[in-house]
Amino acid sequence: MTPTSSSLRRVPAGAATPQDTPQARRSRRKGSSRGRQALTPWLFLLVPLAFLVTFSYVPIINMIVYSFTDWDGVSPDYAFTGVENYVEIFTRPELFKVFVASLYYLAAAGLQIALALYFATVLSFNTRFRNLFKGILFFPYLINGVAIGFVFLYFFQEGGTFDTVLGLLGVGGEHLWLGDPDLVNFSLAGVSVWRFLGLNFVLFLGGIQSIAPELYEAAELDGAGRWQQFRFIIVPSLRPLIGLTAILAISGCLSVFEIPYIMTGGAGASETFVIQTVKLAFRFNKTGLASAAAVVLLIIILLVTWLQRRLVPEERAVA
């Protein structure tokens, strides 16, 4: 069988083959460009994801594994004990009594959100020295928590700065602000308000400044005052942010640690669940039991957050 003349036909030199036409080249370039564009975000995310997995997910997995063991935190050997640690946690009611202290921080968080919303609203309008006041309100959030603990440790000393200020105001006497079980949680919660007020203030201030100025102008033309603008423009616009700060407040009051640990060490009815967990791990060498307590706290925070989002959806979130 001899080849036909068409099969022996040669393509002239320099002529483009069907696979090498300009349209085919453009198509290949577009395909490779789309491939690079799809790969680029993952290249930027590679390092953050590596840090996230290494320092967040891996420790959480290890904590869950340790919660089923009797590890003391020192010995290289440990034995799996099943759910004994969780049974011990839920059969010892005194381990959950420390959540009473969290109620003080929850009430303080509500006050903190209200104050942050008030200052953000006032300083979003033309107010004298508003930049100075913004810096004053946000500055405490920049200070290290350990330094704040030591500063207020001397501030609340018997006969210290706070008692001196009260004496100048006509309220005499010395008080055990950090030693009296009836006063210690009020003092510690007040410190948390002072420290974290700036964070919520900045969140609310950014939300208020993102509101279109035309809304204020239309409200002023209709005769609305500052209170009406706050009630009908600012608050509805900030509902998602208020819901976010409420979630942060609830999770924060359940996991309070550094301020009470530094100032009182958990003494005088100021012990929190996290302080109790740290003591179980490092003072009593019950790392397995402490890991189980940490898992329980994580589940409680996730459950409370889920309930908050279910009961108060984002579009209806309120303080």
Side-chain angles (χ1 to χ4, degrees):
M1 181 175 181
T2 59
T4 62
S5 59
S6 61
S7 63
L8 296 176
R9 187 179 301 164
R10 293 184 179 181
V11 178
T17 63
Q19 294 81 12
D20 197 31
T21 61
Q23 184 178 1
R25 289 197 295 269
R26 285 196 298 269
S27 178
R28 287 197 298 270
R29 284 197 297 268
K30 289 181 180 179
S32 61
S33 177
R34 284 194 296 266
R36 287 195 300 270
Q37 291 177 357
L39 185 62
T40 299
W42 292 103
L43 292 176
F44 281 102
L45 289 173
L46 184 61
V47 173
L49 286 175
F51 279 108
L52 180 65
V53 171
T54 303
F55 297 105
S56 293
Y57 295 138
V58 172
I60 290 175
I61 294 173
N62 288 335
M63 180 182 67
I64 295 174
V65 172
Y66 292 146
S67 68
F68 295 100
T69 69
D70 61 353
W71 189 41
D72 59 2
V74 179
S75 174
D77 301 322
Y78 52 84
F80 284 91
T81 59
V83 295
E84 288 184 8
N85 291 325
Y86 293 96
V87 172
E88 183 175 354
I89 289 174
F90 288 103
T91 55
R92 292 174 58 182
E94 65 272 12
L95 295 179
F96 288 93
K97 289 182 180 179
V98 293
F99 280 118
V100 175
S102 299
L103 298 177
Y104 292 89
Y105 295 97
L106 182 60
L111 175 62
Q112 174 184 293
I113 292 174
L115 289 175
L117 184 58
Y118 169 76
F119 285 120
T121 303
V122 172
L123 296 179
S124 64
F125 297 105
N126 291 326
T127 307
R128 295 185 62 185
F129 307 112
R130 62 175 180 175
N131 290 331
L132 173 63
F133 289 120
K134 290 177 183 178
I136 292 174
L137 289 172
F138 186 66
F139 177 71
Y141 183 70
L142 302 177
I143 305 176
N144 182 270
V146 177
I148 290 176
F150 279 110
V151 168
F152 279 93
L153 185 61
Y154 292 100
F155 182 80
F156 284 118
Q157 274 188 343
E158 184 180 4
T161 305
F162 194 43
D163 282 334
T164 302
V165 173
L166 291 178
L168 295 175
L169 298 176
V171 183
E174 298 179 353
H175 307 81
L176 295 174
W177 297 105
L178 300 178
D180 189 343
D182 297 328
L183 297 176
V184 60
N185 286 315
F186 287 103
S187 304
L188 298 175
V191 176
S192 69
V193 171
W194 181 82
R195 184 190 178 191
F196 294 104
L197 176 66
L199 174 62
N200 291 331
F201 165 74
V202 169
L203 291 176
F204 290 145
L205 184 64
I208 293 174
Q209 291 180 343
S210 66
I211 299 174
E214 291 80 6
L215 294 177
Y216 296 111
E217 296 175 359
E220 290 178 356
L221 291 176
D222 290 337
R226 294 302 188 192
W227 167 249
Q228 285 78 15
Q229 294 178 19
F230 173 79
R231 180 180 177 184
F232 297 106
I233 297 178
I234 294 178
V235 171
S237 301
L238 295 183
R239 280 177 179 170
L241 272 179
I242 295 174
L244 172 63
T245 55
I247 292 175
L248 294 176
I250 294 172
S251 61
C253 73
L254 292 174
S255 56
V256 175
F257 172 67
E258 58 183 5
I259 289 178
Y261 185 77
I262 293 169
M263 296 180 66
T264 65
S270 64
E271 188 175 53
T272 63
F273 195 83
V274 178
I275 293 177
Q276 178 179 256
T277 302
V278 170
K279 288 182 177 179
L280 287 174
F282 299 103
R283 181 177 297 181
F284 302 107
N285 294 328
K286 295 183 177 181
T287 304
L289 182 61
S291 299
V295 172
V296 170
L297 178 62
L298 176 62
I299 294 174
I300 291 174
I301 292 176
L302 293 176
L303 180 61
V304 170
T305 303
W306 179 79
L307 288 176
Q308 195 271 346
R309 303 304 293 171
R310 294 286 294 178
L311 297 176
V312 187
E314 182 172 323
E315 64 272 11
R316 296 172 50 202
V318 295

